[in-house]
PDB file of all heavy atoms in Angstrom:
ATOM      1  N   CYS A 287     -25.647  40.268  16.323  1.00  0.00           N
ATOM      2  CA  CYS A 287     -25.444  39.115  15.440  1.00  0.00           C
ATOM      3  C   CYS A 287     -26.353  38.036  15.857  1.00  0.00           C
ATOM      4  O   CYS A 287     -26.866  37.926  16.984  1.00  0.00           O
ATOM      5  CB  CYS A 287     -23.979  38.566  15.671  1.00  0.00           C
ATOM      6  SG  CYS A 287     -22.766  39.893  15.164  1.00  0.00           S
ATOM      7  N   LEU A 294     -25.246  22.256  21.191  1.00  0.00           N
ATOM      8  CA  LEU A 294     -24.750  21.703  20.024  1.00  0.00           C
ATOM      9  C   LEU A 294     -24.364  20.173  20.254  1.00  0.00           C
ATOM     10  O   LEU A 294     -24.007  19.922  21.393  1.00  0.00           O
ATOM     11  CB  LEU A 294     -23.574  22.411  19.393  1.00  0.00           C
ATOM     12  CG  LEU A 294     -23.763  23.826  18.819  1.00  0.00           C
ATOM     13  CD1 LEU A 294     -22.393  24.470  18.584  1.00  0.00           C
ATOM     14  CD2 LEU A 294     -24.583  23.724  17.607  1.00  0.00           C
ATOM     15  N   GLN A 304      -6.542   3.211  20.512  1.00  0.00           N
ATOM     16  CA  GLN A 304      -5.569   2.309  21.147  1.00  0.00           C
ATOM     17  C   GLN A 304      -5.795   0.903  20.830  1.00  0.00           C
ATOM     18  O   GLN A 304      -6.810   0.265  21.234  1.00  0.00           O
ATOM     19  CB  GLN A 304      -5.638   2.452  22.711  1.00  0.00           C
ATOM     20  CG  GLN A 304      -5.303   3.903  23.300  1.00  0.00           C
ATOM     21  CD  GLN A 304      -3.870   4.277  22.849  1.00  0.00           C
ATOM     22  OE1 GLN A 304      -2.982   3.438  22.904  1.00  0.00           O
ATOM     23  NE2 GLN A 304      -3.823   5.502  22.455  1.00  0.00           N
ATOM     24  N   LEU A 318       8.013 -12.960   9.670  1.00  0.00           N
ATOM     25  CA  LEU A 318       8.193 -11.508   9.698  1.00  0.00           C
ATOM     26  C   LEU A 318       9.546 -11.216  10.043  1.00  0.00           C
ATOM     27  O   LEU A 318      10.023 -11.409  11.210  1.00  0.00           O
ATOM     28  CB  LEU A 318       7.181 -10.856  10.716  1.00  0.00           C
ATOM     29  CG  LEU A 318       5.721 -11.238  10.459  1.00  0.00           C
ATOM     30  CD1 LEU A 318       4.851 -10.512  11.505  1.00  0.00           C
ATOM     31  CD2 LEU A 318       5.208 -10.988   9.047  1.00  0.00           C
ATOM     32  N   LEU A 359      -5.327  17.561  -8.911  1.00  0.00           N
ATOM     33  CA  LEU A 359      -5.058  18.787  -9.565  1.00  0.00           C
ATOM     34  C   LEU A 359      -6.342  19.777  -9.298  1.00  0.00           C
ATOM     35  O   LEU A 359      -6.123  20.903  -9.098  1.00  0.00           O
ATOM     36  CB  LEU A 359      -4.810  18.673 -11.072  1.00  0.00           C
ATOM     37  CG  LEU A 359      -3.566  17.904 -11.308  1.00  0.00           C
ATOM     38  CD1 LEU A 359      -3.463  17.779 -12.897  1.00  0.00           C
ATOM     39  CD2 LEU A 359      -2.327  18.549 -10.804  1.00  0.00           C
ATOM     40  N   THR A 400     -31.237  64.675 -21.166  1.00  0.00           N
ATOM     41  CA  THR A 400     -30.413  63.497 -21.428  1.00  0.00           C
ATOM     42  C   THR A 400     -28.997  63.820 -20.975  1.00  0.00           C
ATOM     43  O   THR A 400     -28.376  64.681 -21.461  1.00  0.00           O
ATOM     44  CB  THR A 400     -30.408  62.939 -22.908  1.00  0.00           C
ATOM     45  OG1 THR A 400     -31.763  62.717 -23.362  1.00  0.00           O
ATOM     46  CG2 THR A 400     -29.521  61.752 -23.121  1.00  0.00           C
ATOM     47  N   ALA A 405     -17.420  57.632 -15.777  1.00  0.00           N
ATOM     48  CA  ALA A 405     -16.616  57.345 -14.608  1.00  0.00           C
ATOM     49  C   ALA A 405     -15.367  56.484 -14.927  1.00  0.00           C
ATOM     50  O   ALA A 405     -15.520  55.522 -15.739  1.00  0.00           O
ATOM     51  CB  ALA A 405     -17.437  56.614 -13.465  1.00  0.00           C
ATOM     52  N   ALA A 427      -9.562  24.036   5.132  1.00  0.00           N
ATOM     53  CA  ALA A 427     -10.490  22.908   4.732  1.00  0.00           C
ATOM     54  C   ALA A 427     -10.089  22.467   3.221  1.00  0.00           C
ATOM     55  O   ALA A 427     -10.077  21.274   2.947  1.00  0.00           O
ATOM     56  CB  ALA A 427     -11.829  23.228   4.910  1.00  0.00           C
ATOM     57  N   LEU A 444      -2.124   1.860  -4.844  1.00  0.00           N
ATOM     58  CA  LEU A 444      -2.003   0.702  -4.015  1.00  0.00           C
ATOM     59  C   LEU A 444      -2.852  -0.478  -4.537  1.00  0.00           C
ATOM     60  O   LEU A 444      -2.457  -1.648  -4.693  1.00  0.00           O
ATOM     61  CB  LEU A 444      -2.227   0.915  -2.540  1.00  0.00           C
ATOM     62  CG  LEU A 444      -2.186  -0.253  -1.568  1.00  0.00           C
ATOM     63  CD1 LEU A 444      -0.666  -0.924  -1.583  1.00  0.00           C
ATOM     64  CD2 LEU A 444      -2.558   0.129  -0.198  1.00  0.00           C
ATOM     65  N   GLY A 504     -10.642 -36.217 -19.756  1.00  0.00           N
ATOM     66  CA  GLY A 504     -10.545 -35.225 -18.598  1.00  0.00           C
ATOM     67  C   GLY A 504      -9.231 -34.477 -18.609  1.00  0.00           C
ATOM     68  O   GLY A 504      -9.231 -33.192 -18.330  1.00  0.00           O
ATOM     69  N   ALA A 517      -4.872 -17.306 -20.984  1.00  0.00           N
ATOM     70  CA  ALA A 517      -5.293 -16.161 -21.950  1.00  0.00           C
ATOM     71  C   ALA A 517      -6.001 -15.034 -21.201  1.00  0.00           C
ATOM     72  O   ALA A 517      -5.851 -13.890 -21.430  1.00  0.00           O
ATOM     73  CB  ALA A 517      -6.045 -16.749 -23.085  1.00  0.00           C
ATOM     74  N   ARG A 520      -3.849 -12.853 -19.106  1.00  0.00           N
ATOM     75  CA  ARG A 520      -3.082 -11.904 -19.940  1.00  0.00           C
ATOM     76  C   ARG A 520      -3.977 -10.702 -20.375  1.00  0.00           C
ATOM     77  O   ARG A 520      -3.547  -9.580 -20.403  1.00  0.00           O
ATOM     78  CB  ARG A 520      -2.579 -12.663 -21.175  1.00  0.00           C
ATOM     79  CG  ARG A 520      -1.423 -13.680 -20.806  1.00  0.00           C
ATOM     80  CD  ARG A 520      -0.849 -14.222 -22.111  1.00  0.00           C
ATOM     81  NE  ARG A 520       0.234 -15.128 -21.738  1.00  0.00           N
ATOM     82  CZ  ARG A 520       1.483 -14.859 -21.433  1.00  0.00           C
ATOM     83  NH1 ARG A 520       1.810 -13.528 -21.371  1.00  0.00           N
ATOM     84  NH2 ARG A 520       2.411 -15.720 -21.181  1.00  0.00           N
ATOM     85  N   ALA A 539       5.994 -14.754 -18.144  1.00  0.00           N
ATOM     86  CA  ALA A 539       5.535 -15.379 -16.952  1.00  0.00           C
ATOM     87  C   ALA A 539       6.777 -15.964 -16.265  1.00  0.00           C
ATOM     88  O   ALA A 539       7.170 -17.136 -16.709  1.00  0.00           O
ATOM     89  CB  ALA A 539       4.437 -16.390 -17.249  1.00  0.00           C
ATOM     90  N   LEU A 545       8.695 -16.468  -1.429  1.00  0.00           N
ATOM     91  CA  LEU A 545       8.009 -15.434  -0.695  1.00  0.00           C
ATOM     92  C   LEU A 545       7.542 -16.009   0.720  1.00  0.00           C
ATOM     93  O   LEU A 545       6.408 -16.098   1.046  1.00  0.00           O
ATOM     94  CB  LEU A 545       6.719 -15.010  -1.451  1.00  0.00           C
ATOM     95  CG  LEU A 545       6.996 -14.361  -2.813  1.00  0.00           C
ATOM     96  CD1 LEU A 545       5.682 -13.978  -3.443  1.00  0.00           C
ATOM     97  CD2 LEU A 545       7.842 -13.076  -2.633  1.00  0.00           C
ATOM     98  N   ASP A 564      -5.972   4.784   3.149  1.00  0.00           N
ATOM     99  CA  ASP A 564      -7.269   4.977   3.535  1.00  0.00           C
ATOM    100  C   ASP A 564      -7.369   5.580   4.943  1.00  0.00           C
ATOM    101  O   ASP A 564      -8.234   6.393   5.177  1.00  0.00           O
ATOM    102  CB  ASP A 564      -8.104   3.651   3.509  1.00  0.00           C
ATOM    103  CG  ASP A 564      -7.411   2.626   4.335  1.00  0.00           C
ATOM    104  OD1 ASP A 564      -6.283   2.743   4.724  1.00  0.00           O
ATOM    105  OD2 ASP A 564      -8.054   1.540   4.625  1.00  0.00           O
ATOM    106  N   GLU A 573     -10.070  16.320   9.671  1.00  0.00           N
ATOM    107  CA  GLU A 573      -9.585  17.713   9.842  1.00  0.00           C
ATOM    108  C   GLU A 573     -10.330  18.712   8.880  1.00  0.00           C
ATOM    109  O   GLU A 573     -10.658  19.815   9.370  1.00  0.00           O
ATOM    110  CB  GLU A 573      -8.039  17.628   9.299  1.00  0.00           C
ATOM    111  CG  GLU A 573      -7.159  16.931  10.256  1.00  0.00           C
ATOM    112  CD  GLU A 573      -7.091  17.452  11.568  1.00  0.00           C
ATOM    113  OE1 GLU A 573      -7.200  18.715  11.765  1.00  0.00           O
ATOM    114  OE2 GLU A 573      -6.762  16.641  12.610  1.00  0.00           O
ATOM    115  N   VAL A 574     -10.686  18.198   7.775  1.00  0.00           N
ATOM    116  CA  VAL A 574     -11.595  19.072   6.862  1.00  0.00           C
ATOM    117  C   VAL A 574     -12.930  19.393   7.575  1.00  0.00           C
ATOM    118  O   VAL A 574     -13.320  20.617   7.564  1.00  0.00           O
ATOM    119  CB  VAL A 574     -11.812  18.395   5.577  1.00  0.00           C
ATOM    120  CG1 VAL A 574     -12.912  19.130   4.660  1.00  0.00           C
ATOM    121  CG2 VAL A 574     -10.523  18.325   4.750  1.00  0.00           C
ATOM    122  N   GLY A 580     -15.521  25.311  12.085  1.00  0.00           N
ATOM    123  CA  GLY A 580     -15.029  26.677  12.459  1.00  0.00           C
ATOM    124  C   GLY A 580     -15.558  27.642  11.467  1.00  0.00           C
ATOM    125  O   GLY A 580     -15.957  28.837  11.944  1.00  0.00           O
ATOM    126  N   HIS A 614     -12.799  59.835  -4.618  1.00  0.00           N
ATOM    127  CA  HIS A 614     -12.154  58.689  -4.029  1.00  0.00           C
ATOM    128  C   HIS A 614     -13.053  58.379  -2.705  1.00  0.00           C
ATOM    129  O   HIS A 614     -13.809  59.356  -2.188  1.00  0.00           O
ATOM    130  CB  HIS A 614     -10.763  58.941  -3.689  1.00  0.00           C
ATOM    131  CG  HIS A 614     -10.494  60.115  -2.784  1.00  0.00           C
ATOM    132  ND1 HIS A 614     -10.742  60.209  -1.313  1.00  0.00           N
ATOM    133  CD2 HIS A 614     -10.210  61.484  -3.095  1.00  0.00           C
ATOM    134  CE1 HIS A 614     -10.511  61.328  -0.810  1.00  0.00           C
ATOM    135  NE2 HIS A 614     -10.267  62.190  -1.799  1.00  0.00           N
ATOM    136  N   LEU A 630     -28.337  29.502   9.727  1.00  0.00           N
ATOM    137  CA  LEU A 630     -26.948  29.487  10.189  1.00  0.00           C
ATOM    138  C   LEU A 630     -26.835  28.416  11.329  1.00  0.00           C
ATOM    139  O   LEU A 630     -25.867  27.640  11.308  1.00  0.00           O
ATOM    140  CB  LEU A 630     -26.542  30.745  10.799  1.00  0.00           C
ATOM    141  CG  LEU A 630     -26.404  31.954   9.880  1.00  0.00           C
ATOM    142  CD1 LEU A 630     -25.920  33.270  10.528  1.00  0.00           C
ATOM    143  CD2 LEU A 630     -25.427  31.552   8.654  1.00  0.00           C
ATOM    144  N   TYR A 641     -18.633  16.292  11.314  1.00  0.00           N
ATOM    145  CA  TYR A 641     -17.396  16.183  12.004  1.00  0.00           C
ATOM    146  C   TYR A 641     -17.409  14.869  12.844  1.00  0.00           C
ATOM    147  O   TYR A 641     -16.463  14.083  12.811  1.00  0.00           O
ATOM    148  CB  TYR A 641     -17.127  17.357  12.812  1.00  0.00           C
ATOM    149  CG  TYR A 641     -15.923  17.144  13.746  1.00  0.00           C
ATOM    150  CD1 TYR A 641     -14.699  17.074  13.276  1.00  0.00           C
ATOM    151  CD2 TYR A 641     -16.144  17.089  15.100  1.00  0.00           C
ATOM    152  CE1 TYR A 641     -13.550  16.951  14.169  1.00  0.00           C
ATOM    153  CE2 TYR A 641     -15.060  16.996  16.010  1.00  0.00           C
ATOM    154  CZ  TYR A 641     -13.842  16.823  15.526  1.00  0.00           C
ATOM    155  OH  TYR A 641     -12.819  16.712  16.458  1.00  0.00           O
ATOM    156  N   THR A 644     -17.265  11.776  10.591  1.00  0.00           N
ATOM    157  CA  THR A 644     -15.915  11.549  10.013  1.00  0.00           C
ATOM    158  C   THR A 644     -14.960  11.036  11.112  1.00  0.00           C
ATOM    159  O   THR A 644     -14.114  10.235  10.780  1.00  0.00           O
ATOM    160  CB  THR A 644     -15.344  12.803   9.393  1.00  0.00           C
ATOM    161  OG1 THR A 644     -15.342  13.945  10.299  1.00  0.00           O
ATOM    162  CG2 THR A 644     -16.132  13.167   8.217  1.00  0.00           C
ATOM    163  N   ALA A 660      -4.710  -8.765  10.375  1.00  0.00           N
ATOM    164  CA  ALA A 660      -4.670 -10.039  11.186  1.00  0.00           C
ATOM    165  C   ALA A 660      -5.210 -11.140  10.303  1.00  0.00           C
ATOM    166  O   ALA A 660      -4.671 -12.212  10.402  1.00  0.00           O
ATOM    167  CB  ALA A 660      -5.574  -9.765  12.443  1.00  0.00           C
ATOM    168  N   ILE A 669      -1.550 -21.113   4.718  1.00  0.00           N
ATOM    169  CA  ILE A 669      -1.095 -21.594   3.363  1.00  0.00           C
ATOM    170  C   ILE A 669       0.374 -22.087   3.525  1.00  0.00           C
ATOM    171  O   ILE A 669       0.660 -23.165   2.904  1.00  0.00           O
ATOM    172  CB  ILE A 669      -1.240 -20.561   2.371  1.00  0.00           C
ATOM    173  CG1 ILE A 669      -2.579 -20.139   2.052  1.00  0.00           C
ATOM    174  CG2 ILE A 669      -0.530 -20.841   1.001  1.00  0.00           C
ATOM    175  CD1 ILE A 669      -2.843 -18.973   1.211  1.00  0.00           C
ATOM    176  N   SER A 696      12.999 -54.004 -13.681  1.00  0.00           N
ATOM    177  CA  SER A 696      13.385 -55.308 -12.972  1.00  0.00           C
ATOM    178  C   SER A 696      12.408 -56.410 -13.505  1.00  0.00           C
ATOM    179  O   SER A 696      12.697 -57.557 -13.223  1.00  0.00           O
ATOM    180  CB  SER A 696      13.445 -55.244 -11.491  1.00  0.00           C
ATOM    181  OG  SER A 696      14.284 -54.273 -11.041  1.00  0.00           O
ATOM    182  N   ALA A 707       2.019 -44.007 -11.374  1.00  0.00           N
ATOM    183  CA  ALA A 707       2.787 -43.349 -10.470  1.00  0.00           C
ATOM    184  C   ALA A 707       3.189 -41.999 -10.985  1.00  0.00           C
ATOM    185  O   ALA A 707       3.164 -40.985 -10.227  1.00  0.00           O
ATOM    186  CB  ALA A 707       4.046 -44.187 -10.047  1.00  0.00           C
ATOM    187  N   LEU A 736      -0.859  -3.917   4.647  1.00  0.00           N
ATOM    188  CA  LEU A 736       0.044  -3.066   5.476  1.00  0.00           C
ATOM    189  C   LEU A 736       0.128  -1.651   4.904  1.00  0.00           C
ATOM    190  O   LEU A 736       0.592  -0.724   5.615  1.00  0.00           O
ATOM    191  CB  LEU A 736       1.434  -3.711   5.373  1.00  0.00           C
ATOM    192  CG  LEU A 736       1.446  -5.057   6.236  1.00  0.00           C
ATOM    193  CD1 LEU A 736       2.905  -5.687   5.996  1.00  0.00           C
ATOM    194  CD2 LEU A 736       1.165  -4.837   7.713  1.00  0.00           C
ATOM    195  N   SER A 741       2.795   9.195   3.083  1.00  0.00           N
ATOM    196  CA  SER A 741       2.520  10.303   4.080  1.00  0.00           C
ATOM    197  C   SER A 741       2.123  11.503   3.262  1.00  0.00           C
ATOM    198  O   SER A 741       2.639  11.775   2.146  1.00  0.00           O
ATOM    199  CB  SER A 741       3.824  10.614   4.824  1.00  0.00           C
ATOM    200  OG  SER A 741       4.844  11.038   4.008  1.00  0.00           O
TER     201      SER A 741
END
Side-chain angles (χ1 to χ4, degrees):
C287 299
L294 289 174
Q304 299 300 320
L318 304 183
L359 296 178
T400 298
L444 178 61
R520 291 188 181 278
L545 301 178
D564 57 342
E573 295 295 331
V574 169
H614 58 83
L630 295 181
Y641 169 71
T644 54
I669 293 175
S696 300
L736 293 174
S741 58

